[in-house]
Amino acid sequence: MEAIVGVLLGTLGLFYPLLLGAILAFVYALLKRSWVWMLISALLLYPDAWYFSGYPPFPWVKWVPFMQVILALMFYLNRNKTLKSNL
């Protein structure tokens, strides 16, 4: 995993683009209550979170994308309830 994160963040220089994309996808997902965009945000944030979790003061950062996956699950389950209530 370290090799993949090293290529993404080091060689390709995608640290800030991934972070910005994750933030924009997160805000869009919250506004639209979209579980798909929340998962996309979690996937975009994962390399940055993995990178920051290597620093001693921030070992908990690797769990931030997991919280987004939980939010995506909540949005998905809420979507199914609203579809059933509209019928």
Side-chain angles (χ1 to χ4, degrees):
M1 186 66 193
E2 287 85 11
I4 295 171
V5 172
V7 169
L8 285 174
L9 302 180
T11 306
L12 297 177
L14 293 177
F15 179 79
Y16 289 112
L18 285 175
L19 188 62
L20 182 63
I23 291 170
L24 291 175
F26 180 75
V27 170
Y28 185 74
L30 283 179
L31 292 176
K32 295 293 183 177
R33 302 283 187 217
S34 171
W35 64 273
V36 175
W37 280 100
M38 191 61 74
L39 284 179
I40 291 171
S41 174
L43 288 174
L44 289 174
L45 188 62
Y46 187 71
D48 291 335
W50 185 275
Y51 176 74
F52 276 120
S53 69
Y55 290 111
F58 306 113
W60 51 269
V61 174
K62 62 184 168 191
W63 299 107
V64 172
F66 182 68
M67 290 186 285
Q68 289 176 319
V69 170
I70 292 173
L71 279 172
L73 182 64
M74 290 172 47
F75 288 163
Y76 179 75
L77 293 175
N78 191 23
R79 178 181 160 260
N80 287 339
K81 286 181 185 178
T82 57
L83 287 177
K84 288 179 184 176
S85 66
N86 288 336
L87 296 177

